[in-house]
């Protein structure tokens, strides 16, 4: 399935090389656009995020009907004006797609380039993007999203056998998110990852030192810089 929310640092395009989930349930405590779960949408998927805009957008998508999404205006120049009658969650959803570049700063209020929406692109808000999102929502009806920090997930063992896909803002680079790496205690996060029951997959950039990460693949980011995506796995 293709992306629902184009979050900066999203893993949809590189979800394939990560280990397959060993369990029926996937938990993403740093959900963002949930790129890993999109590779396995039929699983039981539980998402957590601290950013209310990420959570609100997922909550809307999980509950919206195909017909409702198709009623959102296909051409939006300014979400505050053109979507004034719509709920905040819809302004966020459209806002994530108003720029061709995934945004770490969150949903935009105004279109990055007005022409894009008339050019029939599917990676920016418009008829194609809207139709794709509408066609995909029935497949995530069983997903769940929770608002909170990973630290608020009490007793992870009580959730039953799970694959934990842990993709926090990068220790060194993840400062562009509203909920940024600056507020994360990576030593404590490393200990938490080690303590999780079941299969644990942790993402980082090459050079991070809070777990013994190993290189996975190269990735070209929004700024066209190539870097090495790394991971730590507990089976
Ligand atoms: C790298 S992004 C996740 C990208 C995601 N894997 C994807 O494929 O789109 C990191 C996410 O962690 C969230 N976040 C930051 N601090 C958090 C915390 N303490 N607890 C939960 N989520 C947090 C951010 O809001 C952001 O959405």
């Amino acid at each position: 399935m293709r992306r629902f929310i184009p979050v900066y640092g999203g893993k949809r395009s590189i979800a394939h090389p990560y280990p397959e989930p060993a369990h029926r349930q996937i938990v993403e405590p740093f959900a963002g656009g949930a790129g890993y779960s999109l590779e396995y949408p039929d699983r039981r998927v539980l998402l957590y995020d601290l950013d209310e805009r990420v959570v609100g957008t997922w909550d809307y998508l999980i509950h919206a009907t195909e017909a409702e999404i198709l009623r959102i205006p296909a051409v939006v120049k300014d979400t505050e004006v053109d979507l004034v009658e719509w709920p905040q969650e819809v302004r966020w959803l459209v806002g994530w797609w108003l720029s061709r570049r995934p945004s770490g700063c969150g949903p935009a209020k105004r279109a990055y380039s007005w022409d894009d929406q008339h050019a029939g692109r599917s990676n920016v808000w418009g008829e194609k993007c809207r139709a794709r999102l509408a066609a995909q929502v029935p497949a995530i009806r069983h997903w769940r999203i929770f608002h909170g920090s990973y630290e608020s997930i009490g007793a992870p063992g009580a959730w039953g056998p799970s694959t934990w896909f842990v993709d926090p803002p990068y220790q060194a680079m993840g400062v562009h998110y509203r909920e940024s790496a600056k507020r994360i205690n990576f030593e404590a996060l490393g200990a938490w990852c080690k303590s999780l029951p079941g299969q644990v997959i942790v993402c980082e950039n090459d050079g991070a030192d809070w777990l013994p990460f190993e290189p996975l693949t190269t990735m070209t980011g929004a700024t066209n810089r190539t870097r090495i995506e790394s991971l730590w796995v507990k089976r």
Side-chain angles (χ1 to χ4, degrees), residues 7 28-33 47-52 54-55 58 145-150 179:
V7 171
E28 292 207 41
F30 296 85
L47 306 176
Y48 258 85
D49 204 287
L50 196 49
D51 187 332
E52 60 166 350
V54 171
V55 174
W58 274 120
I145 175 83
F146 301 95
H147 185 206
S149 172
Y150 82 93
E179 302 302 338

Side-chain angles (χ1 to χ4, degrees), residues 124-135:
V124 73
W125 184 255
E127 254 177 56
K128 275 194 188 162
C129 179
R130 184 183 67 172
R132 189 183 68 240
L133 298 180

Side-chain angles (χ1 to χ4, degrees), residues 81-210:
V81 177
D82 303 325
L83 300 176
V84 69
E85 312 275 326
W86 288 80
Q88 174 64 75
E89 290 74 17
V90 172
R91 289 195 283 277
W92 283 332
L93 171 64
V94 173
W96 288 110
W97 288 105
L98 282 183
S99 164
R100 261 177 286 166
R101 287 191 171 172
S103 167
C105 312
K109 289 195 173 160
R110 274 168 287 284
Y112 172 74
S113 162
W114 178 232
D115 295 341
D116 279 344
Q117 295 185 32
H118 296 286
R121 293 177 181 278
S122 67
N123 62 345
V124 73
W125 184 255
E127 254 177 56
K128 275 194 188 162
C129 179
R130 184 183 67 172
R132 189 183 68 240
L133 298 180
Q136 291 192 159
V137 286
I140 60 163
R141 206 67 79 210
H142 60 291
W143 288 24
R144 293 285 172 272
I145 175 83
F146 301 95
H147 185 206
S149 172
Y150 82 93
E151 295 144 302
S152 65
I153 304 177
W159 293 37
S162 307
T163 290
W164 295 79
F165 188 82
V166 183
D167 183 19
Y170 296 132
Q171 183 178 27
M173 288 158 52
V175 294
H176 304 296
Y177 300 92
R178 178 188 271 186
E179 302 302 338
S180 110
K182 285 185 187 159
R183 284 197 286 278
I184 294 177
N185 176 337
F186 283 93
E187 206 183 315
L189 177 57
W192 185 77
C193 292
K194 284 183 182 167
S195 77
L196 289 172
Q199 182 189 25
V200 186
I201 303 166
V202 185
C203 311
E204 249 297 356
N205 198 30
D206 192 34
D209 59 5
W210 51 280

